[in-house]
Amino acid sequence: MKALLDSMQGVPANLKFFIEGEEEIGSPNLEPLVRKYKPLLSADAAIWEFGGTDRRGRPNMYLGLKGVLSVELRAKGASRDVHSANAPIISNPAWRLLWALNLLKDKNEKILIEGFHENVQSPSPEEVECLKNIPFEEEFKEELKLESFLQNKSGSEALEALLYQPTCTINGYISGYTGKGSKTVLPHEASAKLDFRMVPNQDPTEIFRKLVRHLERHEFGDLEVIRHGSTEPTRTPLTDPFVKLVAETAENVYNKKAVIYPTSAGSGPMHLFQNFLGYPVVSAGCSHPEANTHAPNENLRIDSYIKGTKFIATLIRDFAS
Amino acid sequence: MKALLDSMQGVPANLKFFIEGEEEIGSPNLEPLVRKYKPLLSADAAIWEFGGTDRRGRPNMYLGLKGVLSVELRAKGASRDVHSANAPIISNPAWRLLWALNLLKDKNEKILIEGFHENVQSPSPEEVECLKNIPFEEEFKEELKLESFLQNKSGSEALEALLYQPTCTINGYISGYTGKGSKTVLPHEASAKLDFRMVPNQDPTEIFRKLVRHLERHEFGDLEVIRHGSTEPTRTPLTDPFVKLVAETAENVYNKKAVIYPTSAGSGPMHLFQNFLGYPVVSAGCSHPEANTHAPNENLRIDSYIKGTKFIATLIRDFAS
């Protein structure tokens, strides 16, 4: 902003900044606020601060996000842990929770919840074409030091699965004794945390309802099912003129062709802006491949930061003209 | 011993005391010692310090113990925890461990390991008769504040299952995030602890081999299977004269009929004495129903202790005569 003010005697467009700090827990307070201040948040387009450059210095941009629904399942047994000699006559919640989870996804990674795949949108012809231009395999395997993808998927299969496949993931579980060696105990409770990633037009509330119904139908209605945060899936169309402008500006600033992802595999409350407020949203950011996102020693490089600043300033100028 | 010395001018039998402190971890050092000192440990019969009186003041005695085998299963995924957005392309060890465990026992409590039930001995006619004299249901439900037994078993079904059914029990498991709320993480490792209770003539080494083979056959050979402690199952025959002597002496001292269990549902290294050294072993102890065995505030009552002392002194006298 300062550079634009100095060099152009003013910022050539109206700018609105929107910052929130609860994305990691599902932005529980964002929707009421966006609904309340709808007129104040109107705009022609938005940049979503997210992403950065890849290993070859190409800027990566994402036109959408998956939805996510986080849940917790809990099973209860006796009033306290008991000696495991009692196993033939006392219910073990560690087993019951395990059998319930096994009803959600089979060992071939197929999600078994009735109706889970209803409303799943397939990639459009433009999106299928777009995927071919993403140098995914080299980037991704290097970053995660992977030797192969799940189920030995090829690079293009893996990319399509990553962006278009809804998921059911165990984030964690715990029950009973987990220390060193052994303990002959029969636990009295067990719990698991899961998240579901959704694609347009799946709906978190609908998925939660299907999950509960699925467990009830298979005689696991005694389990407690707790709903944590959720956000809806969303995508800005590849054909939107704003996408073209962002890609061209990025190529000019970075001197590399931008890599456009029709969506990210991640989640966030983009749908409120894209769907409810109704304007195109494209992600751009100052990160780099060694940033250790969400991990110890997360970091930002100064040169990436300055480059990102130049890109945004140029985009504002280009957008205004 | 002091009372016998004072009242009888001597102890009327040769006595050997054997004390070890590793039963809770499977007595890993006991077998070599028993083998080495076999002649020193020879005897005509043994009392195993274990048990006590029930809620009606009846002395309970056990003629055998189940075997036990403790194992740990571990699954590994990526080199570190990753963002759960990667679920479509990176293997999740929390799921893999769960699917592997699901191969061991189904939701109807049926153990699925090939050959697991080979060599299982059914109760003898004397044992079946003996079970009818055990006031099991009233005692057990009171102690554990249970409303019903697993799978709505009747009291007699529950007793038979408790004493004669081999088990496969999850003692605990852990993977990923288990704190408050949610975390969109894909764990990189998962582990579970299990114990198997065995009846004569199942063998812990054989069961371990069958477990490993079962996992390999079902394409879970990548899981690490760690063997912790184990002991073999054993039973002293109901028809042994020593059993009759102990029961009669107990009735005289406690003024209540003794309750004889053909076996306990618990485990311990009794087989080394009963099978390897080759003499009858009957349990007797000074415990009481509110002792909180293996739990906080474990306790012993002074009157139970004194009664137990009198019982042992009387038994030595009766045995000698």
Side-chain angles (χ1 to χ4, degrees), chain B residues 25 43 48 98 102 121 135 153 155 159 176 178 181 189 211 216 232 239 252-253 282 286 306 315:
Chain B
I25 57 165
W48 193 264
L98 185 142
N102 190 63
Q121 216 180 70
K153 287 184 177 81
L159 176 62
T178 60
E189 56 186 359
L211 167 67
E216 283 168 356
E232 291 167 33
T239 49
N252 290 338
V253 173
V282 177
C286 302
I306 291 173
L315 181 65

Side-chain angles (χ1 to χ4, degrees), chain A residues 217-268:
Chain A
R217 273 185 193 161
H218 290 85
E219 296 175 16
F220 285 88
D222 55 312
L223 266 64
E224 190 183 359
V225 188
I226 299 157
R227 182 175 174 169
H228 290 303
S230 67
T231 57
E232 291 167 33
T234 187
R235 279 180 218 147
T236 293
L238 263 167
T239 49
D240 192 285
F242 184 59
V243 175
K244 197 174 168 232
L245 175 73
V246 173
E248 283 171 359
T249 303
E251 188 171 346
N252 290 338
V253 172
Y254 285 92
N255 286 316
K256 308 255 183 183
K257 218 169 158 56
V259 180
I260 305 292
Y261 284 78
T263 180
S264 160
S267 305

